[in-house]
Amino acid sequence: MQLSTHTTPSGFLLPSIHSAPPFFTQQPNPATQAIVAEQWSKLILSYARFRNMFTLRVEDAEIPGGEWDEVLRNERINRRLLPAHLASLIADMVSKNLASYDPPNQTRSVLLWWRQPDEWAEVLYQWADSTGQMNTILTFYEILDPPVPSALSGIPITVLRRAVSILTKSQRAQIISVSDGEGVRFLSRNGK
């Protein structure tokens, strides 16, 4: 069988390893499984970034036609990732800080870090600067659902909080209490 890339209906280009039947089964050799886990991690994160998705659940392996189906299943070779294997891959991603359990204290759902929190902080700060939001108090809702869609549109509140926390520690933002919850004020780098 020849391995080949494949473009999904969403336009995502699957790597050739996705057409290898062993890719979909947990490998008994730990060294081989480590390579498979690394390839799955790259695939999951690049797909999530392509589709602007943030959450992956073990149950996603069981949902035909779901938002993860075109990656977790390959009908061309009649293979799919089983939930137990996905749970193992998720645990591996969490151990490498590529994902975090969300909500905490469970192991079936993760928040995917296709951009690390410090990268999200930079995206947030650049957005605030480029849209003239410096020294303006914005609610979290205004950031997550801006009038003009941005790279921040629809990100989970958990991601936003982590990014704001990083900016607060570097004195580029401050948390402000507002009437309907929390807000943030972005501060220019020179403190003005």
Side-chain angles (χ1 to χ4, degrees):
M1 174 183 187
Q2 184 176 359
L3 300 182
S4 62
T5 60
H6 178 73
T7 302
T8 66
S10 70
F12 182 76
L13 181 65
L14 291 168
S16 59
I17 194 169
H18 194 265
S19 62
F23 187 56
F24 289 86
T25 57
Q26 200 147 4
Q27 298 300 306
N29 180 308
T32 304
Q33 181 56 33
I35 293 167
V36 168
E38 182 181 340
Q39 292 299 314
W40 268 112
S41 294
K42 287 179 183 176
L43 176 58
I44 288 168
L45 292 174
S46 62
Y47 184 73
R49 186 178 192 133
F50 176 80
R51 299 275 315 266
N52 201 37
M53 298 188 315
F54 295 90
T55 304
L56 176 63
R57 301 169 306 138
V58 171
E59 292 77 23
D60 289 326
E62 300 176 302
I63 304 173
E67 64 184 2
W68 284 97
D69 194 49
E70 59 187 21
V71 167
L72 301 180
R73 183 180 308 266
N74 186 334
E75 296 294 336
R76 294 173 296 121
I77 60 170
N78 196 27
R79 291 285 190 269
R80 69 183 181 96
L81 196 63
L82 296 176
H85 190 189
L86 181 56
S88 166
L89 295 170
I90 284 173
D92 185 66
M93 292 177 74
V94 168
S95 75
K96 294 176 180 165
N97 293 322
L98 300 173
S100 57
Y101 291 117
D102 188 51
N105 302 321
Q106 55 78 42
T107 59
R108 306 222 17 114
S109 178
V110 289
L111 187 62
L112 298 167
W113 292 109
W114 43 268
R115 275 194 179 126
Q116 289 297 306
D118 58 329
E119 293 173 286
W120 278 114
E122 290 307 313
V123 168
L124 176 58
Y125 191 78
Q126 290 171 5
W127 171 82
D129 190 34
S130 69
T131 58
Q133 304 293 340
M134 290 299 176
N135 295 313
T136 302
I137 298 172
L138 297 169
T139 64
F140 282 8
Y141 175 78
E142 290 172 312
I143 297 168
L144 296 175
D145 191 21
V148 175
S150 74
L152 301 164
S153 297
I155 69 168
I157 193 79
T158 307
V159 175
L160 180 60
R161 285 185 197 285
R162 295 262 302 262
V164 168
S165 173
I166 290 167
L167 293 175
T168 300
K169 289 175 185 165
S170 65
Q171 299 180 354
R172 294 187 287 162
Q174 64 185 151
I175 301 285
I176 307 288
S177 292
V178 294
S179 61
D180 56 348
E182 293 177 291
V184 62
R185 177 184 300 161
F186 297 98
L187 308 169
S188 59
R189 292 183 195 265
N190 58 16
K192 294 181 183 174

